[in-house]
Amino acid sequence: NAGVTQTPKFQVLKTGQSMTLQCAQDMNHNSMYWYRQDPGMGLRLIYYSASEGTTDKGEVPNGYNVSRLNKREFSLRLESAAPSQTSVYFCASSENLQRVGGELFFGEGSRLTVL
Amino acid sequence: QKEVEQNSGPLSVPEGAIASLNCTYSDRVSQSFFWYRQYSGKSPELIMSIYSNGDKEDGRFTAQLNKASQYVSLLIRDSQPSDSATYLCAPDYKLSFGAGTTVTVRA
């Protein structure tokens, strides 16, 4: 019962470094999402993929890129990390084919610190 | 006006009491609603889904939906310390969440 798996769980970067957060789901879901959560800010959508082969910007996409590698995997890349990107990142997935959203299943989160 | 607004909290209730959480939304497109619970330091988890007007009960949790008033609520009966968490309301078609309502159940 893996559900949604994120790696790494913790990462410390220096300003300007790049890194990729990996996400995989084993529920055969069509849609996948990347969120960030900052204290008191709630979850903010970075990018999402409604289905394999498509990606769209969310609320806060600047400084990030994504790849929907296949139906299972959705990665988030920080090309040049900034201290403002220090956050907890959550990957999520949902079954819906007809519409985006609905019941979301979350990974455990990746805590990123940019110095 | 924000798309989704929750009673801001924090909400503190004694053990055994009812915790009442409210959520209003601004659009008329959303057809279903979801309540997520997030413990401190953990990821959100879905606890209730409601798809039609009226009440839906699941154990100690009751969700109420009123589409005409664009209002959805979550009642937690017989609150337990294990219910202490942040609760997030989310309509379908919307992919972002508010900050949620933090509930603390006092033993």
Side-chain angles (χ1 to χ4, degrees):
Chain A
N1 273 5
V4 179
T5 303
Q6 293 181 230
T7 55
K9 290 188 169 41
F10 300 93
Q11 184 72 48
V12 179
L13 291 177
K14 294 181 179 178
T15 298
Q17 288 186 317
S18 62
M19 75 157 299
T20 299
L21 299 177
Q22 307 284 356
C23 176
Q25 52 90 10
D26 62 1
M27 296 173 281
N28 201 35
H29 284 172
N30 291 293
S31 303
M32 298 184 73
Y33 316 81
W34 276 106
Y35 289 89
R36 61 177 288 173
Q37 187 172 39
D38 303 301
M41 296 289 292
L43 290 159
R44 292 186 292 170
L45 183 66
I46 304 171
Y47 271 93
Y48 68 99
S49 170
S51 60
E52 186 178 355
T54 69
T55 61
D56 286 284
K57 294 179 180 179
E59 204 179 344
V60 288
N62 291 346
Y64 305 95
N65 285 301
V66 291
S67 295
R68 184 76 183 264
L69 304 171
N70 48 54
K71 191 172 185 180
R72 291 186 64 249
E73 298 173 286
F74 189 38
S75 63
L76 178 72
R77 183 160 178 84
L78 287 69
E79 291 291 352
S80 178
S84 60
Q85 294 178 304
T86 294
S87 189
V88 179
Y89 291 84
F90 289 102
C91 177
S93 70
S94 67
E95 181 181 15
N96 300 317
L97 180 62
Q98 301 302 324
R99 66 177 190 272
V100 183
E103 302 182 37
L104 301 180
F105 295 83
F106 287 84
E108 292 185 343
S110 299
R111 296 180 183 278
L112 175 66
T113 300
V114 183
L115 303 176
Chain B
Q1 182 185 6
K2 293 182 182 178
E3 289 182 331
V4 178
E5 298 211 32
Q6 294 186 236
N7 47 337
S8 56
L11 184 63
S12 179
V13 299
E15 187 173 356
I18 295 175
S20 177
L21 309 174
N22 304 314
C23 177
T24 56
Y25 58 99
S26 60
D27 75 276
R28 293 192 177 274
V29 175
S30 296
Q31 295 298 307
S32 26
F33 291 84
F34 308 92
W35 283 98
Y36 293 82
R37 177 177 62 200
Q38 186 176 23
Y39 291 117
S40 180
K42 302 295 185 182
S43 58
E45 59 175 333
L46 182 70
I47 57 169
M48 285 285 281
S49 309
I50 185 163
Y51 301 99
S52 57
N53 275 329
D55 296 358
K56 178 182 177 182
E57 189 173 314
D58 184 359
R60 296 185 295 107
F61 296 92
T62 300
Q64 300 172 320
L65 175 58
N66 183 327
K67 292 184 183 180
S69 300
Q70 296 176 254
Y71 173 90
V72 59
S73 65
L74 180 71
L75 300 177
I76 307 173
R77 293 185 304 281
D78 188 22
S79 296
Q80 301 297 309
S82 60
D83 296 325
S84 297
T86 296
Y87 291 81
L88 307 168
C89 164
D92 64 1
Y93 292 101
K94 297 294 183 284
L95 303 180
S96 288
F97 298 75
T101 302
T102 298
V103 174
T104 301
V105 180
R106 309 187 304 271

